[in-house]
Amino acid sequence: MNSIKNVPARVLSRRPGHSLEAEREQFDKTQAISISKAINSQEAPVKEKHARRIILGTHHEKGAFTFWSYAIGLPLPSSSILSWKFCHVLHKVLRDGHPNVLHDCQRYRSNIREIGDLWGHLRDQYGHLVNIYTKLLLTKISFHLKHPQFPAGLEVTDEVLEKAAGTDVNNIFQLTVEMFDYMDCELKLSESVFRQLNTAIAVSQMSSGQCRLAPLIQVIQDCSHLYHYTVKLMFKLHSCLPADTLQGHRDRFHEQFHSLRNFFRRASDMLYFKRLIQIPRLPEGPPNFLRASALAEHIKPVVVIPEEAPEEEEPENLIEISSGPPAEEPVQVVADLFDQTFGPPNGSMKDDRDLQIENLKREVETLRAELEKIKMEAQRYISQLKGQVNSLEAELEEQRKQKQKALVDNEQLRHELAQLKALQLEGARNQGLREEAERKASATEARYSKLKEKHNELINTHAELLRKNADTAKQLTVTQQSQEEVARVKEQLAFQMEQVKRESEMKMEEQSDQLEKLKRELVAKAGELAHAQEALSRTEQSGSELSSRLDTLNAEKEALSGAIRQREAELLAAQSLVREKEEALSQEQQRSAQEKGELQGRLAEKESQEQGLQQKLLDERFAVLRGAAAEAEAILQDAVSKLDDPLHLRCTSSPDYLVSRAQAALDSVSGLEKGHAQYLASSEDASALVAALTRFSHLAADTIVNGGATSHLAPTDPADRLINTCRECGARALELMGQLQDQTKLPRAQPSLMRAPLQGILQLGQDLKPKSLDVRQEELGAMVDKEMAATSAAIEDAVRRIEDMMNQARHESSGVKLEVNERILNSCTDLMKAIRLLVMTSTSLQKEIVESGRGAATQQEFYAKNSRWTEGLISASKAVGWGATQLVESADKVVLHMGKYEELIVCSHEIAASTAQLVAASKVKANKNSPHLSRLQECSRTVNERAANVVASTKSGQEQIEDRDTMDFSGLSLIKLKKQEMETQVRVLELEKTLEAERVRLGELRKQHYVLAGGMGIPGEEEPSRPSPAPRSGATKKPPLAQKPSIAPRPDNQLDKKDGVYPAQLVNY
């Protein structure tokens, strides 16, 4: 707001006493004028200067009392445009006016609501917009009154947003919902405006379009801030609540994001907005709230209002420095009384008061100029500061994003470092356990090797004992004392051996086999001892020696018992080590079982997530199908609407193209049925149905549009039937699209119902096609060769006849006539040669077309398959031969002075048109890169040039001949000259009348020629199984009229060489 804070003291001292009342009246008057100019019934946008004065008035009086006092008296119910502009001005006042405006508008909520309800019940375009706009204004007032931290301009810092949201999740949740509602009201208004306007460039430059588009500038400013705040709040909610709880919020945000992005894109394409506001561009996709680091990627959209050029308007007297109009009358009265009393003042002298007044006026003018300069500089500084503030805010936002991203990266690195430390500690612990296990295993192995060595020593000792016992038993004497001693020793040894055996079986399973073998040997030795008892009597003498040996055996037995006890101790130590290993193994098994349970739980969770994702995938596939069906419905709806579009009446189409489109659409129904059945069998694959639906919608829409275009050239009754069939086809197609969009009605959809209307369109198109010539398709190939040969022969004959005529003219004429005849005949000869080369090139191109297109079929089958093209080629060749013959006949008559030069000119035009028809017929099926086609086009241009030479030589010869017949009026008197002048005028009138009649006759002849050409030259539907009757045998010299091209000569009787081909009426093939 432009204002002056320091007012000069001398100005305030000279202000009259009633300046406050005058200033108030002036302010009220200015506000009333601005409100009346801004809010009127003219369909034009609100001017910025009037709105700015109203906004400055709210800051001047610190409220909107004056605005509402005048706005209440406006006849808003009488004009929807007046109400629309009132809402626009109120929106600007709320955004940019004084903060107290919000509380003043709260008192008039009922008035705003009544205006919206009134226009909402009426069917008026502006009335519908007023209803939506009033809801937006009421929502805006309620939101800002409930949340005073947010000004009406919605421009706050992130710190204020954090403070307003607080730390309570419920408050953040509620604030997000309210901002969503706020954004919905803004987007609904923009969508309603765009729906009423055609988004073409021209509409945005019209006053009616600008009147609707002007409030969207404030909508863009509000939406940019609301989008930024909702993104911040959504990230904050996702940091506090689980993702499933916020699924509804995410869905609603995604819808608003796509709507807002579409709104910004459409608005930025309009020229009206490009000079008033710089609209930001939103990213391609919405932010990923499930990833906290995505907040750093968010960029705050910044709306920039370009600096406006200063408007030419009257300066506003913000400070009253002179007396107003009410004070002028008393001053004038006092001046009159002074003059009456003392007389008029001396004109040559001025008193101090007048000088003071003039000085004050000059000071006032100087102050006004300084004030204007200060205003302009303040506006420029404000604009520069706003730009700097916006750039600094963008930089601050970027720094905040980088800081947020750095914090997130730091947190991730810290988490990864903790994981690495934990893994390192666990690895060290596992390494220690592994080393300890290896040490225990090596100790156990050493103990086992020692036990094995002791066991081997015991076996060797036992074997040595047995050998010694056998030697001793043989030397025993048979004595009674020896027997008792030996028996006692035997019992002791047996008892000891049994005890060793039991201990070995209990403690050493691996030595059981050796101990059993030892037992068996002892039993055998016991038998041997029984036999030795018989010899004891013989060994009585050696008893003493035996006793000493027995003592030795007892000592060895005691040593053996000590070794056994030592081995038992080692076995006990090994068993304790085995028990420890078993306990460690059981703990490892328990830990494995626990990990297995955890893995099974994770597997179950993954399976549930997979099921959820599978269901989501099915829903997304159906969403894709529904989107494709909606797009197809829009395509078909557009095609059906074109049937009633007046602009479509100028579009035409041929029945042949309609038949091809209808047949293609009918064929696509099978694919649609197959895709529908496949989708019903397995909803996991919707690609076939989407592809078939896309193809069917385009083909059906193309069929409907071409059906309407074909009906524009058809008779009344078939045209009406065709239009009705197209409408029925469109209605059924739209019904089918609606069923495909509903998941409950999708299984009951019947694509086969589309066959009946499409077959009806196909049948009507076939009925509208013209009938074919009476030619058998098997003979078309022979006719082509025959006609091309006949054309070549006619051209050769024409060349010979021209040479004969040239020789005859040289003998019978001389002088100027000989020169004219030679020039004409030479040009005709050059033309014939060019035509002959063109026919030969066309024949070569035709052979190339047949060879490349027939495949494994014969030449006759190719011509029969493409009978319409073949008939067009026959017609063109006949026309060329006939034109050559006519040119020769006309040249012969001109040389013999029996014809007219105009006949030669017309024949040249006919030949150019015929060759153009032949070139076009050959060009239809030729390859664009074919060298024969290039040569054919070059020959066509040569024919045009030679035909132009014939016309030029004919006209120049005619001028030379006619110049010799000069008119001599020297012997005529005035009366005779006047009489001949009147006779000439009569003759001119008669010739003009005759010319007009001939032109009418020429037009009728052309109409009849077009009718015959359409009935005879356009073949009908081809049926290969039922050939049509054969043509009449033999080719006539002059073909039927339908095969002869008809063209209108140019005004200057010259050919257009730059076109390459001469325009002609071609047969549709």
Side-chain angles (χ1 to χ4, degrees), residues 756-798:
L758 288 174
Q759 288 176 352
I761 295 175
L762 180 63
Q763 185 62 37
L764 289 173
Q766 291 176 350
D767 294 341
L768 290 174
K769 290 170 62 176
K771 305 301 179 182
S772 177
L773 287 174
D774 192 12
V775 179
R776 281 208 304 265
Q777 296 176 351
E778 291 82 353
E779 299 182 2
L780 288 175
M783 286 187 65
V784 171
D785 297 336
K786 186 188 298 182
E787 290 300 331
M788 296 299 290
T791 303
S792 300
I795 294 171
E796 293 290 341
D797 183 63

Side-chain angles (χ1 to χ4, degrees), residues 542-592:
S542 58
S544 59
E545 186 178 355
L546 181 61
S547 298
S548 62
R549 292 184 177 178
L550 286 175
D551 293 336
T552 305
L553 290 174
N554 289 329
E556 292 177 357
K557 185 181 70 173
E558 291 178 358
L560 182 62
S561 300
I564 291 173
R565 285 193 297 272
Q566 184 179 0
R567 188 174 181 186
E568 288 177 355
E570 292 177 355
L571 286 174
L572 290 174
Q575 287 177 356
S576 63
L577 182 62
V578 169
R579 283 195 297 272
E580 291 177 0
K581 292 292 183 182
E582 289 179 353
E583 291 177 358
L585 181 62
S586 63
Q587 292 177 359
E588 186 68 25
Q589 289 178 351
Q590 290 178 358
R591 187 167 60 253
S592 300

Side-chain angles (χ1 to χ4, degrees), residues 1046-1060:
S1046 176
I1047 57 174
R1050 294 181 178 269
D1052 54 354
N1053 292 329
Q1054 295 294 327
L1055 297 178
D1056 194 353
K1057 298 181 181 180
K1058 65 181 180 181
D1059 294 337

Side-chain angles (χ1 to χ4, degrees), residues 927-951:
N927 187 7
K928 294 182 178 180
N929 299 323
S930 174
H932 293 287
L933 178 60
S934 301
R935 288 196 294 271
L936 182 63
Q937 292 175 346
E938 184 66 27
C939 293
S940 174
R941 288 191 286 270
T942 305
V943 169
N944 285 338
E945 293 175 359
R946 300 296 167 79
N949 291 335
V950 172
V951 173

Side-chain angles (χ1 to χ4, degrees), residues 784-815:
V784 171
D785 297 336
K786 186 188 298 182
E787 290 300 331
M788 296 299 290
T791 303
S792 300
I795 294 171
E796 293 290 341
D797 183 63
V799 172
R800 288 194 298 271
R801 289 185 60 186
I802 290 173
E803 291 178 355
D804 294 339
M805 285 187 291
M806 185 177 294
N807 295 330
Q808 184 179 359
R810 288 172 181 171
H811 289 90
E812 295 180 357
S813 60
S814 62

